[in-house]
Amino acid sequence: MNAEQRARFKEVGKVAFIREEMTRLGYWPPSPEVAAKSAEAEAVLRPMYEELAILRTELTGIEKEIALTGDIPNLLAEVRRKRIERVRAARVVKKAAREKEQGERKASDIAWRRSTLPFLGHGVSAGLRYAGGDPAKLAASGLPVLITAGDLATAIGIGTRDLAFLTYHRGVAMLDHYSRFTIPKKRGGVRVISSPKRRLRVAQQYVLEKVLALLPVHDAAAAFRPGLSIVDNAAKHAGKPIVIRIDLKDFFPSVPFGRVKQLFESFGYNPGVATLFGLLCTEAPRAAVTLDGSAKRFVAVGERCLPQGACTSPTLTNLLCRRLDARLSGLADAGGFTYTRYADDLVFSHAEAGAAVGALLRAVRQIITETGFVINEEKIVVLRPHHRQSVTGLVTNGGTPRVSRQDLRRFRAFLHQFDAKGAEAMTQQIGKDALCYAAGYLSFIHMVSPEQAEKIAAKHPWLLRWKKG
């Protein structure tokens, strides 16, 4: 096959080339009939062959281009690698956008939580909903209208983070917002005093002055009210044939967080703000614990309640006892008794020796139980004229409250020893500053009986000099 034949072979293909050669050499067609049919087929196939020739030429050119370009598998691998790089780059961009969105959402959530305070510890956060309340009632009572945590924080003069710091409840805390110590009780045992530290004390002072002090208490409440003293309380029962004293058991600790929160809601505050007020004014009793040389922890050993030592606790109890005082006053009036309450010390007196004391006590027990308090049965005392009748530490036999003779003799004996031994020895003897004790007790006597105080001061002039100094 010469070069011209090889070119034709490539151009038309094997089958067409063989047929052309057979025709050229006289082997085709074999008969006239076949020649006729072949001519017809040739007329149809000729354009197709020409088109096929063109396509074969193009295919040859493409194959040459591919050959010049390089190895197909490597090209495919390169395409795949670039595609993977594009996908990875797109993923990086998408991940960065997602992380940015998550960061913005997290920052927004943190900002919202810091301003809204939606959670302040387990067991106390169910009511942190800053909706509802009665702003009109607050305004009518002259109370600050506070809707959000931010409102309360601003009113106190602190940030919301500081408010969260002061109110967050933990079962185990790294620090304690109170300084705790004990003082002896007159009848034995000790009383735990929880004194708020400076930051909490400032917040509680706001609650006391701007909220609690603006609300009325019942007239029977004689304690923790400006202008009233133990003398005013005792005077209402002086000279009565019957004096009945009833003590409420665990007065401050018996008032739980939930009851304080409900009280603030009754003023008109929404559940969220009422919860914050309740957390500011209550605390759980705690024990300081150190294990295996670790840092000190303050572990809650009871439920949150009113701490004895917080400036808000006395006024809160007066407000919480309004219903108790109203019911007991009504009971007393119906039986001809006089009723007052000095903190947890309830006093009834009657002008007739034959008054129905038993019936009164039965009714009092029922009312106290129904209002959520507990009587200390060991401290129920019924005093008649032949007893030394005392109310809030003052003797009421006769017409005027007075310091008992025994207490006066004890104080005079102390002053005599002070003159003989000096301040330092007496301070050591009584376990507290003798000068402060002497001046303080003299002020107490002066409040009850200025004449007696002046007589004592005349015998011990240094008392007045020291007090003025």
Side-chain angles (χ1 to χ4, degrees), residues 197-252:
K197 295 178 182 177
R198 186 189 64 81
R199 295 173 71 177
L200 180 58
R201 186 169 63 250
V202 169
Q204 289 181 348
Q205 197 67 37
Y206 168 83
V207 179
L208 174 62
E209 294 177 358
K210 303 301 182 182
V211 179
L212 302 178
L214 304 181
L215 295 163
V217 299
H218 196 276
D219 290 340
F224 320 121
R225 295 177 62 186
L228 293 181
S229 69
I230 60 172
V231 179
D232 300 302
N233 182 51
K236 293 185 177 182
H237 306 283
K240 302 287 185 69
I242 295 178
V243 175
I244 306 167
R245 294 207 318 259
I246 301 172
D247 186 76
L248 298 180
K249 189 175 183 180
D250 298 327
F251 188 48
F252 289 122

Side-chain angles (χ1 to χ4, degrees), residues 306-329:
L306 290 182
Q308 186 156 352
C311 64
T312 48
S313 294
T315 307
L316 277 170
T317 53
N318 275 347
L319 292 167
L320 284 164
C321 286
R322 287 183 297 187
R323 180 166 169 262
L324 171 68
D325 291 336
R327 292 186 64 182
L328 291 180
S329 290

Side-chain angles (χ1 to χ4, degrees), residues 164-185:
F165 170 72
L166 294 175
T167 56
Y168 199 96
H169 174 74
R170 292 179 174 85
V172 179
M174 292 290 293
L175 56 85
D176 194 350
H177 290 300
Y178 291 83
S179 299
R180 303 173 194 264
F181 57 92
T182 59
I183 58 174
K185 295 182 180 179

